[in-house]
Amino acid sequence: MSRHVAIVTDSTAYLPAPTMERHRITAVPLTVVLGDRALEEGTEISTRSLAQALQKRRPVTTSRPGPEVFAETYRRVAEAGATGIVSLHLSAELSGTYDAAVVAARQAPVPVRVVDTGMIAMALGFCALAAAETAEAGGTVDEAVTSAEKRAAGTSAYFYVDTLDYLRRGGRIGAAQALLGSALAVKPLLELAGGRIEPLEKVRTASKAIARLEELAADRAGGAEVDIAVHHLAAHERASALAERLRTRLPGLADLHVSEVGAVIGAHTGPGLLGVVVSAR
């Protein structure tokens, strides 16, 4: 029997469904708690419903999957023929998802390597794709992990948000930083650094901030062969326009994805989010 390495990730990778099916990637859903209702990301709450709840200032929190959810996923994947599993997840600095996966991996019926990618959104998705492509080529668990880690090392993510208030509410950024941004009426640019969402620059207007987001992505890409993801929440026109500008100015552009983030990231960023992930091949 040939060895089959399966790839598991979580719902914050925001990979397109056809891509996940083609590469046989399994995503474990995180949960959004809206009022007193716990809803699975991707199946039980839409980004539209989330945006409306945030705009009405309804209480919204997020929750990791429990170890039992991962245990059931690993069991199903093993029963489908996997002899090893690579489980790749969003930054442990932002969620307890990685910890839950580690607990479940100890009791899995086949060997499981759980990886804290330090990434989120398609920055995580590109890591999962790299691991899946290695596994499809006959790679081992260790080789698939190495591919994901190399991809993570060559990936950067930049974000524009209309306000830091949602990040402050979720504890993803300090209250003092959020207050300063509001007091100065600036538009914040953020980056993913060391597995955390960190302030990068403050720009006076939304249009200048989005232009600067484009410059950051273009500078990071340079002339290298890169994949790009443009994320948004309730800002489709802005995201599409930004994606088209990047398409024309990046000579090494391979794949370009435009997608709305799911409810988990949206709960912490709020409507108006724009994000660009630059991932070197």
Side-chain angles (χ1 to χ4, degrees):
M1 177 179 174
S2 62
R3 295 187 64 80
H4 163 49
V5 175
I7 308 302
V8 172
T9 186
D10 59 67
S11 60
T12 68
Y14 300 138
L15 285 163
T19 301
M20 293 185 63
E21 291 171 9
R22 184 165 64 251
H23 294 282
R24 295 194 295 175
I25 299 171
T26 301
V28 175
L30 274 71
T31 299
V32 176
V33 182
L34 188 60
D36 59 356
R37 299 176 63 207
L39 306 167
E40 283 191 358
E41 180 175 44
T43 58
E44 297 180 338
I45 181 170
S46 68
T47 50
R48 181 183 295 273
S49 298
L50 171 78
Q52 291 173 345
L54 292 172
Q55 288 164 345
K56 294 176 181 178
R57 300 187 71 83
R58 293 180 61 191
V60 180
T61 58
T62 59
S63 176
R64 71 175 190 180
E68 67 281 0
V69 178
F70 278 105
E72 173 61 18
T73 300
Y74 297 152
R75 183 190 63 77
R76 288 201 322 269
V77 169
E79 288 179 351
T83 55
I85 299 171
V86 177
S87 198
L88 302 155
H89 300 292
L90 79 160
S91 172
E93 292 283 346
L94 300 173
S95 169
T97 300
Y98 166 81
D99 294 331
V102 168
V103 171
R106 297 181 186 133
Q107 305 299 322
V110 297
V112 180
R113 283 282 300 278
V114 183
V115 180
D116 171 13
T117 65
M119 301 282 112
I120 198 167
M122 273 297 291
L124 168 59
F126 287 133
C127 293
L129 279 175
E133 288 166 357
T134 296
E136 288 163 6
T140 65
V141 165
D142 287 346
E143 288 168 340
V145 169
T146 297
S147 293
E149 290 175 339
K150 285 182 177 178
R151 194 67 183 244
T155 298
S156 299
Y158 307 99
F159 305 95
Y160 158 80
V161 291
D162 278 332
T163 173
L164 291 172
D165 190 45
Y166 297 104
L167 284 161
R168 177 195 59 78
R169 287 189 222 169
R172 266 50 179 193
I173 201 166
Q177 292 170 324
L179 181 61
L180 180 62
S182 300
L184 296 177
V186 296
K187 295 300 182 181
L189 290 173
L190 312 166
E191 67 174 337
L192 186 62
R196 297 185 61 83
I197 303 296
E198 299 287 358
L200 180 61
E201 298 179 7
K202 299 183 181 74
V203 185
R204 285 294 180 182
T205 66
S207 60
K208 289 181 179 178
I210 294 169
R212 180 60 181 143
L213 186 66
E214 178 184 338
E215 290 297 324
L216 288 166
D219 289 347
R220 177 66 180 83
E225 185 179 12
V226 296
D227 294 325
I228 297 286
V230 177
H231 288 304
H232 72 93
L233 180 61
H236 177 73
E237 290 185 5
R238 278 180 173 179
S240 295
L242 175 58
E244 286 308 307
R245 293 195 299 273
L246 289 170
R247 190 190 301 276
T248 61
R249 71 181 293 178
L250 299 184
L253 180 61
D255 286 336
L256 175 62
H257 304 260
V258 181
S259 65
E260 192 164 34
V261 299
V264 167
I265 290 182
H268 294 293
T269 61
L273 163 76
L274 277 181
V276 181
V277 176
V278 183
S279 185
R281 287 203 165 194

